[in-house]
Each structure stands twice: as structure tokens, then as C-alpha cells.
Amino acid sequence: MSMDFAPPKYAQVMTAIQQRIEAGEYSPGTMLPSETQLVREFGVGRTTVVRALQTLAMQGWIEREHGRGSFVKGRPESSPDRVRPGLAVAEQAEDAESVIDVRRLPAPRHIARLLGVQERTPVIARRRVAKQGGRLSAVETLWFPLEIALGTDLDKPEPLRHGIRQHLRAVKHLRFDHITERLTARNPTKDEAELLGSPKPVLGVLATVYDAAGAVLLVISSALPGDLHELQDVYPVG
């Protein structure tokens, strides 16, 4: 079986922008093309471009200013070039097609353990999908303790325009401090297989998001078809 998987489209956009920054085409302090221009150039959706820019900003390549645009900072001096799947999901803006189900459910054992609650404790499960080239490229379930979701729009089916992280910061003044991720090759659940249209093994990402006090804000479970995704890391060797 070939291991030459095409990276997701947002990662392709990121790589192109990084290469232009390193080549000097986009020099430090200059403004990047607008989201509309990038959408037109790369032939992708706006959510794909936004996800790419958000991840570049998180990694330190660019700085985004609300109402103005994105400005080049240059190659991060100390931050490795990494795609962090859990944070990317939390940063992703939603649309009417991405949110497929929001409900209160009893927490499964493995989710309850990560959330620090008893098994079968009611939690909010927000299930979403992402598409690449007209095909589903990810099934994402975001699990929230009830006390976190209370007073937010996380338990409502309407899409969040600015993503989970920004919504929690704006509505409840909650801030992400660190995320632990576990990556595995696994079989999809029945629901994941039905949505993806295939029972083939997936890359599973299980991310737990903490605040500065060590409290769990949410757990993200993602199923990524192996023939659409690859995981890449670049790090210095001393």
C-alpha cells in the first residue's frame, strides 16, 4: 500500500505560504494577500484558508490583526514547524455543513476518564465533519463538561463563526493553556464508518485541552482517513 498520502488542503496552503516567506516573497512586516485573494489563488474554500492562517499564526509565522489582515513575522526562531491536529480543530470556524449533530449524551468510559467525570455522566457532544475535494476528510467529536458548555452556544446546532477556542474566550473568559494529544491507528466507530463511507482504519487523534489550573475544558476525538492525511514534524537535532 502506498504511503504517499496527500496532505489536507489547509496544510498545502500553509506550506506554500511558508515557502514564500522563506524565499523572501513575503518579507517580514508585509501584509499577506487577503483571504478572498488566497481563496481564489489556491482554489479552496474560505474555511480552509482561515484554518491555514490560524495555524500559521499559532506557530508564529504570521500575526493576524482583526479588521486589518495578516502580517508576516518570518520563520519562528524556536518553534518547530508542526501541525497540531487538536488545536487546529479547536481553532476551526464552522459552517452550516460542518456541524451535523449536537446533543447531551452519557460520557463513554474513555471520554469520561479524560474529562475527569464518572462514566455515563451527561456531557455535551458536538459532532462535525470536514471535507476535502468534495469528500469527507475528518469526523470530529468535541466533548464538553456541562459546566463548560453552560451559558455558551456549544450546545446549540448553529455554527460558530470564530471557532471553539475564541468562543470560550469571548463568552466565558476561558483560555487554553496546553493540549495533550494521542495519535493511534484504529478502526472507525460505527458512526464514523457510516459518515466516511468506509470501514477502513483511520488515524485517530484524541486531544485533551486544559486551562492554566489543569482543569479539562474539552476533549476532541477525530477520525482521519489514512489515504487523505499524513502527519509531519520538523525538529532540530542538537
Side-chain angles (χ1 to χ4, degrees):
M1 182 176 65
S2 172
M3 295 298 290
D4 294 326
F5 304 142
K9 288 191 175 181
Y10 83 92
Q12 297 177 36
V13 174
M14 284 176 54
T15 298
I17 294 175
Q18 289 168 339
Q19 290 174 344
R20 294 174 186 180
I21 291 174
E22 293 188 313
E25 183 178 346
Y26 297 155
S27 57
T30 60
M31 181 185 293
L32 288 180
S34 68
E35 292 177 6
T36 300
Q37 290 173 311
L38 294 172
V39 165
R40 187 180 303 116
E41 176 183 354
F42 290 102
V44 297
R46 183 174 295 275
T47 55
T48 298
V49 168
V50 169
R51 184 171 186 176
L53 294 176
Q54 288 174 334
T55 308
L56 286 169
M58 179 266 296
Q59 293 180 353
W61 288 84
I62 66 173
E63 183 175 8
R64 306 191 74 200
E65 296 186 13
H66 182 69
R68 294 190 62 197
S70 300
F71 295 84
V72 176
K73 295 176 67 177
R75 167 176 277 279
E77 294 183 2
S78 58
S79 298
D81 180 13
R82 302 181 63 185
V83 175
R84 297 169 172 87
L87 184 58
V89 170
E91 296 274 14
Q92 177 65 44
E94 300 175 344
D95 58 37
E97 294 184 354
S98 63
V99 182
I100 61 172
D101 187 50
V102 180
R103 65 177 65 183
R104 181 180 297 197
L105 294 175
R109 179 181 301 175
H110 69 294
I111 297 297
R113 184 174 66 250
L114 293 172
L115 290 174
V117 300
Q118 294 293 321
E119 183 179 355
R120 312 291 295 175
T121 297
V123 296
I124 298 298
R126 188 177 188 88
R127 190 163 57 161
R128 314 186 314 193
V129 294
K131 290 186 177 181
Q132 178 178 324
R135 175 186 167 187
L136 288 188
S137 60
V139 177
E140 306 160 351
T141 305
L142 299 95
W143 303 87
F144 302 92
L146 293 183
E147 61 270 22
I148 297 296
L150 181 65
T152 73
D153 293 332
L154 298 174
D155 59 350
K156 300 177 176 61
E158 291 75 21
L160 300 177
R161 181 179 178 185
H162 298 297
I164 301 295
R165 184 184 185 188
Q166 187 169 343
H167 185 72
L168 283 173
R169 182 187 300 173
V171 176
K172 301 200 75 171
H173 308 292
L174 296 174
R175 294 182 177 273
F176 291 10
D177 182 77
H178 61 282
I179 299 176
T180 62
E181 290 185 356
R182 187 176 72 202
L183 281 66
T184 59
R186 63 173 175 83
N187 291 322
T189 65
K190 180 180 178 180
D191 288 344
E192 290 169 344
E194 290 178 354
L195 286 167
L196 293 170
S198 171
K200 294 181 179 179
V202 297
L203 293 175
V205 180
L206 195 59
T208 308
V209 182
Y210 299 84
D211 67 11
V216 177
L217 301 179
L218 71 147
V219 170
I220 302 167
S221 177
S222 300
L224 312 175
D227 60 344
L228 287 180
H229 294 272
E230 67 175 4
L231 299 175
Q232 176 178 296
D233 197 2
V234 178
Y235 51 90
V237 177

